[in-house]
């Protein structure tokens, strides 16, 4: 059964999110401090984590990095900060999605369901396919990515953006199109997430991704 971990220092918000998660028939565990979170993560199966950026005097970004270093658990981070830097930084260090407070608990659940659905589809899809593009090889069953026969570690969203571009070669993909197909919601005001992931893919892989100014990105032949 799917288990969702919530780390939120505000007790009322924590209990509200837990109620919505339980209503979706998910198992849920909540913490209002970071003290025992990693012990729980290391000793239990966690399918998705909802993480507040500011947890009392602790930094949720540090916890995000620690969780991702242990296991690539999908993470949605929530923040009261409206500064773009914090949102982009969260995505840069591995968050898969984010929401800015105040937010609708129903929207949070919709995003969590979409993320869990994508993971399930990727892992349980019946067809195993090897996708090759230049020196890049992707095994769609194991989600293993190799560049020049070297295994490359990607976050879930980096993998999904790469796979989407590999499946749409030669096509100029706008930021809005990428977000709507990967994150599954309106891209208005959030296109910098795409720019950041493209930048990281360029650093990790020898693949060539062209910038089409004023439009978006295209996978180079």
């Amino acid at each position: 059964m799917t288990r969702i971990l919530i780390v939120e220092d505000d007790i009322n918000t924590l209990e509200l999110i837990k109620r919505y998660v339980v209503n979706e028939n998910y198992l849920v565990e909540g913490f209002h401090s970071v003290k025992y979170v990693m012990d729980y993560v290391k000793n239990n199966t966690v399918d998705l984590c909802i993480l507040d950026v500011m947890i009392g005097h602790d930094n949720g970004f540090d916890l995000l990095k620690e969780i991702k270093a242990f296991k690539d658990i999908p993470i949605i981070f929530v923040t009261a900060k409206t500064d773009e830097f914090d949102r982009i930084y969260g995505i840069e260090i591995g968050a898969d999605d984010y929401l800015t407070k105040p937010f609708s608990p129903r929207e949070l659940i919709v995003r969590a369901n979409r993320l869990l659905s994508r993971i399930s589809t990727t892992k349980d899809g019946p067809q195993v396919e090897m996708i090759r593009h230049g020196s890049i090889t992707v095994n769609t069953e194991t989600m293993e990515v190799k560049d020049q026969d070297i295994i490359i570690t990607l976050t879930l969203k980096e993998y999904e953006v790469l796979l989407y571009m590999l499946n749409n070669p030669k096509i100029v993909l706008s930021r809005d199109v990428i977000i709507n197909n990967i994150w599954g919601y309106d891209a208005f005001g959030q296109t910098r997430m795409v720019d950041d992931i493209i930048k990281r893919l360029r650093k990790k892989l020898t693949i060539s991704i062209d910038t089409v100014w004023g439009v978006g990105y295209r996978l180079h032949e």
Side-chain angles (χ1 to χ4, degrees), residues 81-112:
K81 298 182 178 181
T82 57
D83 185 56
E84 184 182 57
F85 172 80
D86 293 294
R87 300 196 303 270
I88 297 302
Y89 180 64
I91 298 297
E92 186 176 49
I93 62 176
D96 299 281
D97 202 352
Y98 76 89
L99 275 175
T100 302
K101 292 181 178 180
F103 59 85
S104 161
R106 187 62 221 164
E107 181 182 0
L108 176 61
I109 294 301
V110 168
R111 295 193 184 200

Side-chain angles (χ1 to χ4, degrees), residues 13-71:
T13 302
L14 175 60
E15 292 302 320
L16 177 64
I17 297 173
K18 285 174 67 175
R19 287 199 299 271
Y20 273 81
V21 170
V22 169
N23 286 340
E24 295 294 311
N25 295 317
Y26 296 140
L27 297 176
V28 61
E29 186 64 51
F31 293 89
H32 58 81
S33 72
V34 304
K35 188 174 181 180
Y36 300 110
V37 172
M38 283 309 301
D39 285 339
Y40 183 83
V41 169
K42 291 176 180 178
N43 291 286
N44 296 273
T45 299
V46 176
D47 298 289
L48 184 139
C49 177
I50 298 170
L51 172 63
D52 190 1
V53 169
M54 299 304 296
I55 313 166
H57 298 293
D58 296 303
N59 188 332
F61 288 134
D62 292 338
L63 180 59
L64 190 157
K65 288 188 285 187
E66 193 173 356
I67 291 173
K68 285 290 187 177
F70 174 73
K71 187 177 180 182

